[in-house]
């Protein structure tokens, strides 16, 4: 979903949007009916087969823009396990499962989650994370898929390993792969560092995907909050970002009723 003059395209995050439909596959149809041309998320679900996902994508014509990494069965992997020592085999299995789903629906981006820790991050966590991402980068390159890593703020997810942009950039530089980039979620970025415009400029060459939501309520971009999204989205375009923007917000009511911001900001003439 975008206007003819805009370089930005907007995809519906099916973890957050259209949840008035309890059936994941049904959310694809609602996103299509609302006017979206792409969707992102969720994790490859146990209750949905590859064949079912392929079928709903073919029926709707929606592009599967991004998929979160599978979480597996390990209790400590509830939010991923890339940075958790001893979980290397689970990480590899989760990534391979996600790649299988992604390839089946021609999804070109996978969000690799680091994991939630019960203690302060240590050097062992750091080295585990970098090594797992190097392993991931090799597998992703073989399959022509981009992996993205995302700092998540401490208020939304206390204890998440990756909660700092400087750390994320340092890791990307250590891995040094064109198949691993930064997910710049504007909602998390405002909580973690603020100064969004400079963040967009500073991290521009590292960014592989953008997500948005208003702060602090995590609702529609035009809802009351700290950010002027008409300006922020303009900054994305002005600084050369021309890829998908994931709408990872919690609608105030029914999802479709809250999509007016796309018209107000000039990204949708429907």
């Amino acid at each position: 979903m975008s206007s003819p003059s805009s370089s930005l395209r907007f995809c519906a995050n099916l973890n957050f949007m259209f949840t008035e439909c309890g059936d994941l596959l049904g959310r694809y149809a609602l996103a299509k009916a609302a006017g979206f041309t792409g969707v992102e998320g969720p994790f490859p679900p146990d209750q949905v087969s590859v064949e079912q996902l392929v079928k709903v994508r073919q029926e709707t014509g929606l592009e599967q823009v991004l998929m979160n990494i599978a979480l597996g069965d390990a209790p400590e992997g509830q939010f991923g396990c890339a940075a958790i020592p001893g979980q290397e085999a689970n990480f590899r299995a989760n990534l391979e499962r996600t790649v299988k789903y992604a390839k089946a629906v021609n999804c070109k981006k996978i969000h690799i989650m680091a994991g939630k820790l019960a203690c302060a991050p240590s050097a062992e966590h750091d080295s585990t994370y970098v090594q797992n991402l190097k392993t991931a980068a090799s597998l992703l390159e073989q399959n022509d898929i981009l992996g993205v890593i995302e700092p998540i703020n401490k208020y939304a997810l206390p204890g998440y390993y990756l909660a700092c942009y400087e750390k994320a950039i340092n890791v990307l530089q250590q891995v040094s792969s064109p198949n691993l980039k930064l997910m710049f979620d504007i909602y998390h970025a405002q909580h973690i560092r603020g100064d969004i415009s400079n963040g967009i400029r500073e991290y521009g060459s590292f960014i592989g995907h953008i997500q948005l939501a208003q702060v602090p309520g995590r609702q529609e971009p035009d809802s009351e909050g700290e950010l002027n999204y008409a300006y922020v989205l303009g900054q994305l375009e002005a600084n050369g970002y021309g890829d998908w923007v994931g709408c990872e917000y919690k609608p105030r009511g029914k999802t479709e009723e809250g999509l007016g911001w796309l018209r107000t900001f000039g990204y949708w003439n429907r």
Side-chain angles (χ1 to χ4, degrees):
M1 179 186 295
S2 64
S3 73
S5 61
S6 171
S7 61
L8 303 181
R9 294 174 289 170
F10 297 86
C11 56
N13 185 293
L14 299 185
N15 286 326
F16 284 73
M17 302 177 77
F18 302 104
T19 57
E20 51 265 37
C21 176
D23 172 44
L24 170 63
L25 296 178
R27 294 177 200 168
Y28 281 81
L30 291 179
K32 173 69 173 181
F36 285 98
T37 57
V39 296
E40 64 176 20
F43 314 99
D46 292 331
Q47 70 274 21
V48 177
S49 68
V50 172
E51 292 75 19
Q52 287 174 305
L53 205 56
V54 169
K55 182 180 178 183
V56 75
R57 182 184 175 277
Q58 290 174 340
E59 289 174 347
T60 61
L62 291 169
E63 181 173 344
Q64 183 79 45
V65 175
L66 175 141
M67 186 176 287
N68 289 343
I69 192 169
L71 297 181
D73 300 323
E76 58 267 69
Q78 185 181 1
F79 298 99
C81 61
I84 300 178
Q87 291 295 321
E88 290 84 355
N90 281 330
F91 172 75
R92 176 79 186 209
N94 293 344
L95 181 61
E96 288 176 346
R97 180 165 185 255
T98 311
V99 167
K100 177 183 176 182
Y101 270 77
K103 288 184 71 176
V105 294
N106 197 32
C107 176
K108 293 298 186 181
K109 298 180 185 180
I110 293 175
H111 172 206
I112 300 173
M113 299 192 73
K116 182 177 179 180
L117 309 183
C119 58
S122 67
E124 187 178 12
H125 290 110
D126 296 342
S127 61
T128 298
Y129 189 52
V130 170
Q131 188 55 54
N132 275 334
L133 291 179
K134 286 182 177 180
T135 299
S138 177
L139 180 61
L140 294 168
E141 182 178 0
Q142 293 169 27
N143 290 280
D144 191 27
I145 295 173
L146 177 70
V148 290
I149 60 172
E150 175 190 28
I152 297 178
N153 80 79
K154 65 181 181 180
Y155 307 105
L157 185 53
Y160 190 71
Y161 169 81
L162 189 62
C164 171
Y165 282 92
E166 287 71 21
K167 186 171 202 171
I169 298 303
N170 180 262
V171 165
L172 291 174
Q173 290 173 330
Q174 288 184 66
V175 176
S176 187
S177 168
N179 289 84
L180 191 69
K181 289 200 169 189
L182 177 72
M183 173 125 75
F184 190 75
D185 185 321
I186 297 166
Y187 168 80
H188 290 300
Q190 175 67 1
H191 279 291
I192 293 170
R193 54 154 288 146
D195 195 18
I196 299 299
S197 296
N198 282 325
I200 291 168
R201 286 190 284 272
E202 182 179 350
Y203 306 139
S205 63
F206 295 96
I207 293 174
H209 193 66
I210 298 283
Q211 290 179 328
L212 55 70
Q214 185 56 275
V215 180
R218 205 167 194 176
Q219 295 176 322
E220 286 90 344
D222 64 345
S223 61
E224 185 176 1
E226 298 176 9
L227 295 173
N228 174 0
Y229 263 104
Y231 179 82
V232 170
L233 293 172
Q235 287 296 296
L236 285 177
E237 294 193 82
N239 284 278
Y241 185 79
D243 204 343
W244 290 94
V245 177
C247 302
E248 194 184 45
Y249 62 77
K250 302 173 184 176
R252 288 166 287 186
K254 289 186 176 181
T255 303
E256 190 165 4
E257 294 172 354
L259 296 177
W261 63 272
L262 285 157
R263 288 185 291 272
T264 302
F265 294 165
Y267 292 105
W268 189 21
N269 55 16
R270 176 174 169 164

